[in-house]
Amino acid sequence: MRISELSRRTGVPTATIKYYLREGLLPPGRPTAATQAQYDGTHVQRLRLIRALAEVGGLSLASIRRVLDAVDDKSLHVHQLLGTAHYALGPTVTAPTDDPEWTAVRDEVDAFIAELGWQVTPGAPARDLLTQALLALRRLGMPTPVDDLRPYADAARSLATRELARLPDDVGQRDAGRRDAVVAETVAVTTLYEPVLLALRRLAQEHESALRFREDLCTEEDRAQ
Amino acid sequence: MRISELSRRTGVPTATIKYYLREGLLPPGRPTAATQAQYDGTHVQRLRLIRALAEVGGLSLASIRRVLDAVDDKSLHVHQLLGTAHYALGPTVTAPTDDPEWTAVRDEVDAFIAELGWQVTPGAPARDLLTQALLALRRLGMPTPVDDLRPYADAARSLATRELARLPDDVGQRDAGRRDAVVAETVAVTTLYEPVLLALRRLAQEHESALRFREDLCTEEDRAQ
């Protein structure tokens, strides 16, 4: 297909496609004339992945490039690809170098993960993300013992078990087509289910809040009349 | 305390505090001389809330201002405050006006929420957030029937029930000190537990992936030796 058709099928403006081509995020099409090229289904799929990572995952172009490089590196295992996606996702938390409170909370986080029996690399950025949130909660005067996080850990574990179980067994470097499918699924499951979970938690919060407070609200409104 | 002490206690640079004062995010201190003012514990608490919303919640200054205006509006009920925090959190998804695929998925999302029995306003931005993620997954070739979201909805509901149960019962406009505590807790629970949940899900994914693929990885590394 021509670039105009590629644009029509993906909803991505031609100028943006050209930009991705120049930046090397999208592989070049098959040249058919000096200024024309043919694109195929792999370009459609790649463009959709770029847009999903940018719009739904909120990734910067630099982060998308890192993920795509990992996707294209056939020597990488799915486990390593997942790690790359996690690193790219952000937000990037820079741990302060000389904050004893930070260090103390980070130690608690590490102990908590060890207690859960989770095998996680010591440098996993999510450890800092968790430290930052926990420290902020405590500085706001909320005690938040690390054990308060257990229900979140249990929910996260149960969802992750289900997510990883979805990936087919015979991953690997052997079957290129199959690898592409698994890779797309891995990146999607990592990045695109985050907003799913966030959105559902906010909706559930609104519902619980309505159950809890609606009566108060109605009474106050009634009284105001 | 002087502004230098306020800076020391919160870790926020004096220049940033002055900026927040100019922008009205932080209420002025009690003037003690032409160029000096005294600040107190409420300033410490407010500064920590601003930093937590900015750094952990990832909110823009404009969004923080909206949340703080709601916090300061004593006529608002906690239920309305939660809504304000949800609106401010982002990411902001702009629903396309003439995309039949979007409309179809949005209808499914609305039907799913109705089926769950959740009382959620029709304009809740999380509906669009969910629609966007679901549509992106499908466009990437993953079928993702809306029923696949049920485990996420169940986990979200169970966490939200717990979160709302933490808020004390006698919220309201009557006791100002108590209202401030509840308000801080509401904003914190809404915004700061999101990164907690995200971080734990990534850590759990890494663990599950290690369990699932480590053997593969080791075998491949062994073979390479």
Side-chain angles (χ1 to χ4, degrees), chain A residues 79 152 157 163 208-209, chain B residues 79 152 157 163 208-209 212:
Chain A
H79 182 63
Y152 295 85
R157 177 75 195 274
E163 287 157 359
E208 290 292 335
S209 168
Chain B
H79 183 64
Y152 295 84
R157 176 76 194 273
E163 287 157 359
E208 290 292 336
S209 169
R212 177 91 191 275

Side-chain angles (χ1 to χ4, degrees), chain A residues 10 45 48-50 52 55-56 75 77-80 82 86 89-91 109 112-113 116-121 124 126-127 129-130 132-134 136-137 139-144 148-149 151-153 155-174 184-185 188-214 216-217 220-221 223, chain B residues 10 45 48-50 52 55-56 75 77-80 82 86 89-91 109 112-113 116-121 124 126-127 129-130 132-134 136-137 139-144 148-149 151-153 155-174 184-185 188-214 216-217 220-221 223:
Chain A
T10 57
Q45 190 68 5
R48 286 186 174 148
L49 184 57
I50 295 173
E55 288 168 16
V56 188
S75 76
H77 196 281
V78 171
H79 182 63
Q80 296 159 312
L82 190 84
H86 282 169
L89 263 176
V109 162
F112 179 62
I113 294 167
L116 289 166
W118 291 2
Q119 300 176 28
V120 175
T121 49
R127 290 179 188 263
L129 197 56
L130 192 52
Q132 187 192 45
L134 199 56
L137 283 161
R139 284 188 170 153
L140 282 171
M142 273 156 266
T144 326
D148 275 13
L149 306 186
Y152 295 85
R157 177 75 195 274
S158 132
L159 294 174
T161 308
R162 179 182 293 265
E163 287 157 359
L164 268 289
R166 280 178 63 157
L167 299 184
D169 251 331
D170 54 346
V171 190
Q173 285 62 28
R174 286 142 210 111
E185 177 112 11
V189 155
T190 313
T191 56
L192 304 185
Y193 274 93
E194 287 203 351
V196 164
L197 186 54
L198 289 192
L200 284 167
R201 178 171 166 271
R202 292 182 198 170
L203 293 166
Q205 277 190 343
E206 183 176 337
H207 171 59
E208 290 292 335
S209 168
L211 288 186
R212 178 90 192 276
F213 297 120
R214 179 158 294 176
D216 283 15
L217 273 173
E220 278 167 27
E221 276 158 21
R223 240 176 296 164
Chain B
T10 57
Q45 190 68 6
R48 287 188 173 144
L49 183 58
I50 295 172
E55 288 169 14
V56 188
S75 75
H77 196 281
V78 171
H79 183 64
Q80 296 159 313
L82 190 86
H86 282 169
L89 262 175
V109 163
F112 180 63
I113 294 168
L116 289 167
W118 291 2
Q119 301 175 27
V120 175
T121 49
R127 290 178 188 263
L129 197 56
L130 191 53
Q132 187 193 44
L134 198 57
L137 283 162
R139 284 188 172 155
L140 282 171
M142 273 157 270
T144 326
D148 275 14
L149 307 186
Y152 295 84
R157 176 76 194 273
S158 133
L159 294 174
T161 308
R162 182 182 289 267
E163 287 157 359
L164 269 288
R166 281 178 62 159
L167 298 184
D169 251 332
D170 53 347
V171 190
Q173 284 63 28
R174 286 143 211 111
E185 177 112 9
V189 154
T190 314
T191 56
L192 304 185
Y193 275 92
E194 286 202 353
V196 164
L197 185 54
L198 288 191
L200 284 167
R201 177 170 167 270
R202 291 183 199 172
L203 294 166
Q205 276 190 343
E206 183 176 336
H207 171 59
E208 290 292 336
S209 169
L211 288 186
R212 177 91 191 275
F213 296 120
R214 178 157 294 178
D216 284 13
L217 274 173
E220 278 166 28
E221 275 159 21
R223 239 176 297 165

Side-chain angles (χ1 to χ4, degrees), chain A residues 66-147:
Chain A
R66 277 202 298 280
V67 171
L68 294 179
D69 284 348
V71 163
D72 292 336
D73 180 350
K74 308 288 188 220
S75 76
L76 279 192
H77 196 281
V78 171
H79 182 63
Q80 296 159 312
L81 184 66
L82 190 84
T84 306
H86 282 169
Y87 273 79
L89 263 176
T92 309
V93 175
T94 315
T97 47
D98 56 349
D99 182 340
E101 273 191 280
W102 174 283
T103 311
V105 174
R106 171 62 196 251
D107 287 348
E108 277 185 69
V109 162
D110 289 343
F112 179 62
I113 294 167
E115 201 187 307
L116 289 166
W118 291 2
Q119 300 176 28
V120 175
T121 49
R127 290 179 188 263
D128 284 329
L129 197 56
L130 192 52
T131 303
Q132 187 192 45
L134 199 56
L135 187 56
L137 283 161
R138 293 192 183 164
R139 284 188 170 153
L140 282 171
M142 273 156 266
T144 326
V146 84
D147 248 13

Side-chain angles (χ1 to χ4, degrees), chain B:
Chain B
M1 72 192 83
R2 304 259 288 268
I3 196 166
S4 53
E5 168 71 5
L6 184 61
S7 164
R8 203 191 55 72
R9 281 186 52 186
T10 57
V12 180
T14 312
T16 309
I17 297 178
K18 286 183 177 164
Y19 174 67
Y20 292 156
L21 285 165
R22 274 199 310 277
E23 292 289 314
L25 293 178
L26 194 65
R30 189 170 50 81
T32 52
T35 59
Q36 273 186 18
Q38 280 289 320
Y39 302 90
D40 59 27
T42 63
H43 292 93
V44 173
Q45 190 68 6
R46 173 59 54 106
L47 263 179
R48 287 188 173 144
L49 183 58
I50 295 172
R51 298 309 283 181
L53 292 174
E55 288 169 14
V56 188
L59 270 67
S60 67
L61 273 198
S63 297
I64 292 174
R65 185 191 306 279
R66 276 202 299 279
V67 171
L68 293 180
D69 284 348
V71 162
D72 292 336
D73 181 351
K74 309 287 188 221
S75 75
L76 278 191
H77 196 281
V78 171
H79 183 64
Q80 296 159 313
L81 183 66
L82 190 86
T84 307
H86 282 169
Y87 272 79
L89 262 175
T92 309
V93 175
T94 314
T97 46
D98 56 348
D99 181 340
E101 272 190 281
W102 174 283
T103 311
V105 174
R106 171 63 197 251
D107 286 348
E108 277 185 70
V109 163
D110 288 343
F112 180 63
I113 294 168
E115 201 187 306
L116 289 167
W118 291 2
Q119 301 175 27
V120 175
T121 49
R127 290 178 188 263
D128 284 329
L129 197 56
L130 191 53
T131 302
Q132 187 193 44
L134 198 57
L135 187 56
L137 283 162
R138 293 193 184 162
R139 284 188 172 155
L140 282 171
M142 273 157 270
T144 326
V146 84
D147 248 12
D148 275 14
L149 307 186
R150 203 166 279 273
Y152 295 84
D154 292 344
R157 176 76 194 273
S158 133
L159 294 174
T161 308
R162 182 182 289 267
E163 287 157 359
L164 269 288
R166 281 178 62 159
L167 298 184
D169 251 332
D170 53 347
V171 190
Q173 284 63 28
R174 286 143 211 111
D175 178 344
R178 186 145 190 102
R179 181 183 187 278
D180 285 355
V182 173
V183 155
E185 177 112 9
T186 304
V187 170
V189 154
T190 314
T191 56
L192 304 185
Y193 275 92
E194 286 202 353
V196 164
L197 185 54
L198 288 191
L200 284 167
R201 177 170 167 270
R202 291 183 199 172
L203 294 166
Q205 276 190 343
E206 183 176 336
H207 171 59
E208 290 292 336
S209 169
L211 288 186
R212 177 91 191 275
F213 296 120
R214 178 157 294 178
E215 209 173 317
D216 284 13
L217 274 173
C218 293
T219 323
E220 278 166 28
E221 275 159 21
D222 291 349
R223 239 176 297 165
Q225 277 170 7

